[in-house]
Amino acid sequence: MYTTPKPILGALYAQKVTIYWSKAGRGMPDAGRRAHCPPAFVLSAGELTQLARTNTYSSIVMWERSAYAPEQTVETHFSFYDPHDWGAVAVKFPHNEGAVVRYTYSRFNVGAPDRSHRPPLSCPLGLDEVVRVTYNGRASWPLGAWRYEHTTFNFVLTARPTLEMFLAEPVRQMTDLADLW
């Protein structure tokens, strides 16, 4: 028997939280400061209005050089192939039945150490649920110094966005954290 696919009754909202540090900041006390950096942030009313536009996401960046003070903006996301693809993380909408969040390691998007032997991770994203994806990596700057980063994506599919929607406890989480020696 044929059934009509369920329509998606919400829009996708995304928040990317990235923490950057150098080799000098690997140990204490910086590691302790980074451990207290939140994985999600409240939005301002202006940010929520901006996120209602297509191809936007909330971006929070925290740098070692600024004692991990959050810098929050709304970014326009440009992707030639898929507006819901952020490189290592993508959200797909198969058959209009909901959404699927997918994480795939890539040296270009995540960095070292190599984790290409690990299979991609995926999970469903239901209406009014939060799904969180967390990964880390390191890469070298042109002059050879290492840069470390820890990235968290928060996704919500909703028709009723709120300023606090990313703070809700995630229904599902995907994590790919490597030892960044």
Side-chain angles (χ1 to χ4, degrees):
M1 181 168 93
Y2 176 77
T3 58
T4 306
K6 299 174 194 170
I8 298 173
L9 301 175
L12 178 68
Y13 292 87
Q15 184 176 72
K16 180 182 180 184
V17 179
T18 310
I19 306 167
Y20 293 104
W21 66 97
S22 69
K23 186 174 181 179
R26 289 186 345 195
M28 293 303 252
D30 275 7
R33 287 188 198 110
R34 283 193 307 279
H36 287 93
C37 291
F41 287 81
V42 172
L43 299 167
S44 69
E47 289 167 328
L48 186 58
T49 300
Q50 287 180 297
L51 284 177
R53 296 183 316 209
T54 306
N55 297 341
T56 58
Y57 65 98
S58 170
S59 173
I60 295 89
V61 178
M62 294 174 273
W63 298 89
E64 171 187 27
R65 66 178 180 243
S66 62
Y68 305 105
E71 300 170 13
Q72 191 164 349
T73 60
V74 172
E75 303 287 333
T76 300
H77 176 64
F78 294 104
S79 175
F80 293 109
Y81 304 107
D82 187 343
H84 306 297
D85 188 334
W86 288 267
V89 179
V91 179
K92 303 294 181 188
F93 296 88
H95 312 296
N96 283 337
E97 293 178 1
V100 176
V101 180
R102 184 177 171 104
Y103 165 81
T104 305
Y105 167 82
S106 82
R107 184 175 292 276
F108 179 75
N109 292 305
V110 178
D114 182 25
R115 292 167 261 181
S116 59
H117 61 282
R118 296 182 187 171
L121 303 172
S122 64
C123 69
L125 172 61
L127 195 61
D128 297 319
E129 295 178 341
V130 175
V131 168
R132 182 169 292 154
V133 181
T134 304
Y135 59 90
N136 65 359
R138 61 182 163 81
S140 64
W141 290 101
L143 297 177
W146 286 105
R147 179 197 78 220
Y148 300 83
E149 69 179 76
H150 182 279
T151 303
T152 301
F153 274 94
N154 298 292
F155 295 104
V156 178
L157 185 65
T158 186
R160 299 178 312 275
T162 67
L163 301 178
E164 299 86 15
M165 66 183 162
F166 294 118
L167 298 182
E169 190 64 32
V171 174
R172 283 171 285 287
Q173 297 186 61
M174 293 184 283
T175 305
D176 183 20
L177 297 176
D179 184 14
L180 301 180
W181 36 270

